[in-house]
Amino acid sequence: ITHYTVQVKDFTTNNWLTLVPTTQQTSNTQNNAISNTLYTYRVTAYNSYGSVTSPDITVTTLPTIVTGLTATPTSGTQIDLAWTAIPNVTGYTIYTSTDGVTYTQHVGVTTNSYSHTGLNLGQTIYYKVSATNAGGEGAQSAPSQATTFDVPSAPQNLSFTNPHPLTARLTWTAPSDNGGDSNITYTVQRSLDGINWVSHIPSTVTT
């Protein structure tokens, strides 16, 4: 063998373009390839008697990195994920972590969203997502994290006034921590002995 010629097929015209006009090496690296793209190659070998061309080989470059990953808590047990869709991929792999350091594969999906259910109150989960195509799995995205809703802290500054002998007025301020959910209701209880409590107002949104 005197030398080889490496060619790649043009996307638009379907004509063969020469990547390497002449080389004596038996390997070649194409730089600046486009992500998530199908390439077709062939190699021609030459000697003093002529040339012969290899069968075509197709290679799909890996997908681009997933972007736009968001994690949003929707309840005390669920976090919803969404990210920017990548055309021409076969699916996505979601990775989870409880410390933001060690990630493990959680689930594979075919759409650019996922609802992570069955979580605990106040649980923080970190997420990364990768895309997969015929060429394999691409790099993982930048992380995103969320914490499920939790119980609020106690109401503050409870005070009592007695504007009328038969009237008791209670006021308080909202908890310093709403547990992640701004939709807070309150239950007012009363006791005659400070031990046994019963609900006086089952549920109210006022303070």
Side-chain angles (χ1 to χ4, degrees):
I1 302 298
T2 57
H3 67 279
Y4 301 94
T5 296
V6 181
Q7 294 180 301
V8 63
K9 188 170 287 188
D10 183 88
F11 301 133
T12 305
T13 66
N14 228 27
N15 295 327
W16 289 99
L17 305 176
T18 299
L19 284 176
V20 183
T22 179
T23 180
Q24 293 181 327
Q25 304 296 320
T26 56
S27 64
N28 179 72
T29 300
Q30 179 183 354
N31 296 315
N32 301 317
I34 302 172
S35 298
N36 203 32
T37 302
L38 177 68
Y39 286 88
T40 303
Y41 298 94
R42 69 182 184 182
V43 177
T44 302
Y46 296 84
N47 66 12
S48 57
Y49 300 100
S51 64
V52 63
T53 300
S54 70
D56 298 351
I57 183 173
T58 58
V59 177
T60 301
T61 53
L62 296 179
T64 55
I65 191 169
V66 171
T67 59
L69 175 62
T70 60
T72 305
T74 57
S75 72
T77 60
Q78 179 173 320
I79 294 174
D80 286 349
L81 304 180
W83 56 90
T84 304
I86 300 176
N88 303 319
V89 299
T90 56
Y92 305 90
T93 302
I94 297 171
Y95 294 84
T96 59
S97 171
T98 56
D99 59 9
V101 177
T102 303
Y103 286 81
T104 58
Q105 183 174 324
H106 175 66
V107 70
V109 297
T110 56
T111 61
N112 61 318
S113 63
Y114 174 72
S115 293
H116 191 182
T117 59
L119 301 173
N120 298 320
L121 294 177
Q123 184 175 3
T124 299
I125 303 291
Y126 301 80
Y127 298 91
K128 290 183 179 181
V129 178
S130 66
T132 300
N133 63 12
E137 182 180 356
Q140 296 176 12
S141 68
S144 183
Q145 71 181 80
T147 302
T148 56
F149 297 156
D150 202 352
V151 295
S153 59
Q156 303 178 82
N157 304 315
L158 178 62
S159 63
F160 168 85
T161 56
N162 191 214
H164 185 276
L166 298 179
T167 302
R169 179 172 177 80
L170 303 175
T171 58
W172 60 89
T173 55
S176 59
D177 180 2
N178 63 14
D181 188 349
S182 59
N183 297 314
I184 293 180
T185 60
Y186 303 93
T187 297
V188 178
Q189 296 180 309
R190 66 178 180 179
S191 172
L192 298 177
D193 57 11
I195 299 174
N196 300 299
W197 295 85
V198 296
S199 294
H200 177 62
I201 301 177
S203 180
T204 177
V205 294
T206 66
T207 54

